[in-house]
Amino acid sequence: MEGKERERKGKSSQFKKRKRKPCIFCIDDKKIDFKDVAFVRRFMTDRGKIAPRRLSGCCALHQRMVATAVKRSREVGLVPYMVD
């Protein structure tokens, strides 16, 4: 029984919660502009997908705005839908 308790304690300390980094839009009051291609690409993966919140570091509100900006820039033709 003692061996199982030690295993449980070891596993729980294995997955420590990291402190979330604050949203860059909330801190700096930056505006999201779909015409700024370099800024929009920052929130995309190398394959052309929209990066999730855990990678982009945005709050939920600004992540939705980023997704809309990426979709608009794709529609206009500034950013490709998929990268070869």
Side-chain angles (χ1 to χ4, degrees), residues 47-76:
R47 297 215 170 225
K49 296 180 178 182
I50 300 170
R53 275 182 60 198
R54 66 179 181 272
L55 294 180
S56 65
C58 297
C59 63
L61 173 73
H62 288 112
Q63 178 66 24
R64 286 191 296 268
M65 291 178 173
V66 163
T68 305
V70 170
K71 291 173 187 177
R72 281 186 184 156
S73 62
R74 283 176 178 166
E75 191 73 26
V76 173

Side-chain angles (χ1 to χ4, degrees), residues 3 10 12-13 21-22 25-26 30-32 35 37 39 45 47 56-58 62 67-68 74 77 80:
S12 65
S13 64
K21 58 183 176 181
F25 298 107
C26 293
K30 282 192 169 186
K31 301 296 179 191
I32 303 170
K35 292 174 265 180
V37 178
F39 190 68
T45 62
R47 297 215 170 225
S56 65
C58 297
H62 288 112
T68 305
R74 283 176 178 166

Side-chain angles (χ1 to χ4, degrees), residues 41 44-50 74 79-84:
R41 287 216 180 213
M44 296 175 67
T45 62
D46 57 342
R47 297 215 170 225
K49 296 180 178 182
I50 300 170
R74 283 176 178 166
V79 177
Y81 281 95
M82 56 187 277
V83 181
D84 293 329

